Amino acid sequence: MIVNCKIIDFPKIVDPRGNLTFIEGGRHIPFEIQRVYYLYDVPGGAERGGHAHKELQQLIIAMSGSFDIVLNDGYEQKRYHLNRSYYGLYICPMIWREIDNFSSGSVCMVLASTFYDEADYYRNYHEFIANVRLESDESTIY
Ligand code: TYD
């Protein structure tokens, strides 16, 4: 659900020599970090994402430059603009995401709760929506 996704502010040690931010898995973010990956050299007008994850939790940070992330839980859609390296967007499982509007030279860093596993992806939007409906039917109390 989108309500479980949120912007998280990280500690910022302000210093005239340059600021420092740190992130501790399980403390500043609600999962242990098992993988880090980043997008860079993104050409103008490109779009990334376009998928959802069954179990994976992620935290996305604009380490440099800026970009937008559009989240969709099958019921609601929300656009976030990330442009600072001292906060990030936490994304829980079962959220369709698109990343676009990359500024030139931007770097998108992702902290992930599990190793890469293609079986954890929904790459087809209709399949994702069908499974969102299935989960919400299963959780309905009659
Ligand atoms: P994908 O997750 O689709 O990228 P994005 O969401 O940024 O558009 O991954 C693109 C390709 O990279 C795909 O072939 C899988 C591969 N990949 C890995 O091998 N390991 C990883 O940790 C990630 C994130 C992707």
Side-chain angles (χ1 to χ4, degrees):
M1 300 270 284
I2 276 186
V3 288
N4 298 321
C5 300
K6 58 183 179 192
I7 295 288
I8 300 180
D9 284 309
F10 301 118
K12 186 177 175 190
I13 312 293
V14 177
D15 190 309
R17 299 170 301 161
N19 300 335
L20 182 153
T21 283
F22 57 95
I23 304 167
E24 294 176 347
R27 287 187 168 176
H28 300 113
I29 57 176
F31 58 84
E32 296 298 337
I33 301 161
Q34 209 155 29
R35 178 168 51 115
V36 176
Y37 65 93
Y38 31 94
L39 304 172
Y40 53 97
D41 293 345
V42 179
E47 292 178 10
R48 302 288 314 216
H51 53 73
H53 289 278
K54 298 170 188 172
E55 303 287 344
L56 184 71
Q57 300 176 71
Q58 291 173 307
L59 188 290
I60 303 186
I61 305 171
M63 294 303 284
S64 183
S66 65
F67 47 81
D68 290 357
I69 306 179
V70 181
L71 301 185
N72 178 342
D73 63 6
Y75 297 95
E76 196 186 338
Q77 183 163 301
K78 201 165 173 187
R79 178 176 286 269
Y80 294 85
H81 182 63
L82 298 191
N83 63 355
R84 292 284 183 268
S85 48
Y86 51 80
Y87 67 80
L89 178 62
Y90 167 73
I91 307 180
C92 63
M94 293 303 284
I95 301 286
W96 189 267
R97 87 288 311 275
E98 316 264 358
I99 312 179
D100 60 18
N101 199 22
F102 286 92
S103 69
S104 73
S106 58
V107 178
C108 169
M109 184 176 77
V110 184
L111 309 181
S113 64
T114 67
F115 294 138
Y116 171 73
D117 175 13
E118 186 60 36
D120 186 65
Y121 281 74
Y122 285 112
R123 291 200 182 270
N124 179 296
Y125 184 70
H126 299 293
E127 189 196 350
F128 164 68
I129 291 297
N131 280 275
V132 165
R133 301 276 185 265
L134 209 61
E135 282 193 3
S136 81
D137 286 351
E138 281 166 2
S139 64
T140 303
I141 301 164
Y142 294 100

